[in-house]
Amino acid sequence: MYRFLLSRQWVILTLLALVLIPTMVRLGFWQMHRYEERSARNQLVADALAAKPVPVERLTSPGHTVTSSERYRTVTARGRFDTDDEVVVRRRTNADDEVGFHVLTPFVLDDGKVLLVNRGWIPADGPSQTAFPKIPAPPAGEVTVTGRLMPDETTEASGIKDLKGLPDRQIMLINSGQEAKRLDARVLGGYVAQTAPKPKGDTPEPLGSPGDENAALNYAYALQWWLFAAAVPVGYVILARRERRDREAAAATATATAEQADDEEKETTPSSA
C-alpha cells in the first residue's frame, strides 16, 4: 500500500523530514541555552542592584578587571572632580535614541587614586563635531559620589571601533588602562555610572538603569521549535495516509471505469450464430 514512498518525490520528502527534525530540536536547545544565560544575567543584575553600597576600592583597584558579579554593584567614593582632564565619549545615545556624548570626568580620591566617573549624557549640539561641547560643571570641592560599577569597554564586547585621530578630549571607549596612560595616574579598573548626587537641572542626563533581558521570549522560542519538530513526523504520516487514500480511490475509479467499458463493449458486440 505504501510502495509510493519509494518514489523520487517521497524519498526527497523523507530526507527533508529527517534533516528538519534534528535541526529543529537543536534550535530548541539553543534557545533554551539562551534562556538560561539571560535568566542568569538578569539574576546577577538584580542581585547587584539590591546589594548595599560599598566603598569603590573594596571591589576594584588599578589594573583590576571588573567581573560579571561586580558589574552594576553600587559603590561610593569620596574625593573631587578633575574637570581639567575631562573628556567626552562619542556616539552615545540617550533614552530617546538621540545621539550625543557621555561625559567622563576623572574623580580624584582622597588617597590620590583616580576613579573614572561617567556623569551622564549631553546632546551633540555644538558648532561642529570637532569642537569640545559645553559641559555643565560637577559639584565643586570634596564630595561623595555614588554609582554603578561597570567594566572597561572594549571593541570585542561593545562592537564600537576605537577610532584614532579623534578631536582633542574625545574618545570612543571608556577604558581605565587607556585613561591611566593619558592621565599618568593610578586609575581604578572599570568606571562608575554616576547615580548621586543628582546633577543640577538633570544635565548631564543621568544614565538609565540596566533593564531585564527578555528571557521568557527565548523559552517560548524553544518550545516553538520543539513543537515544530514534533509536527514534522505527524504531518508526514498524515500526508502519507492521504496519498494512500487518493491512490486507492484513483485505482478504484480506474477499475470501475474499465469494468464499465467492458460491459458496454459486450453489449454492443453481436453474438455469433
Side-chain angles (χ1 to χ4, degrees), residues 145-204:
V145 166
T146 303
R148 295 185 296 271
L149 183 62
M150 301 294 293
D152 288 325
E153 295 179 345
T154 63
T155 297
E156 293 75 18
S158 66
I160 301 172
K161 293 183 179 179
D162 192 11
L163 302 177
K164 306 300 180 183
L166 296 176
D168 187 39
R169 299 176 68 185
Q170 295 189 25
I171 62 175
M172 295 299 299
L173 296 168
I174 304 176
N175 186 283
S176 61
Q178 294 178 2
E179 291 302 296
K181 293 178 182 179
R182 182 179 72 88
L183 299 170
D184 190 22
R186 296 176 297 161
V187 177
L188 303 183
Y191 68 97
V192 166
Q194 182 178 338
T195 57
K198 297 292 185 181
K200 293 181 179 179
D202 289 331
T203 181

Side-chain angles (χ1 to χ4, degrees), residues 54-134:
V54 297
V56 66
E57 290 189 87
R58 286 191 186 178
L59 297 181
T60 186
S61 58
H64 176 74
T65 299
V66 176
T67 65
S68 58
S69 61
E70 295 165 344
R71 186 178 187 179
Y72 300 122
R73 284 288 304 273
T74 301
V75 295
T76 60
R78 184 77 179 168
R80 58 177 180 81
F81 284 104
D82 175 16
T83 55
D84 290 339
D85 289 315
E86 194 169 54
V87 295
V88 291
V89 190
R90 293 169 59 93
R91 300 179 185 176
R92 299 303 168 106
T93 58
N94 65 357
D96 297 322
D97 288 330
E98 298 172 318
V99 179
F101 301 98
H102 279 179
V103 179
L104 188 68
T105 309
F107 189 76
V108 183
L109 305 181
D110 291 340
D111 61 6
K113 297 186 183 72
V114 174
L115 171 67
L116 301 177
V117 176
N118 187 338
R119 293 171 49 212
W121 181 90
I122 58 172
D125 55 3
S128 69
Q129 288 290 321
T130 58
F132 192 73
K134 184 177 180 180

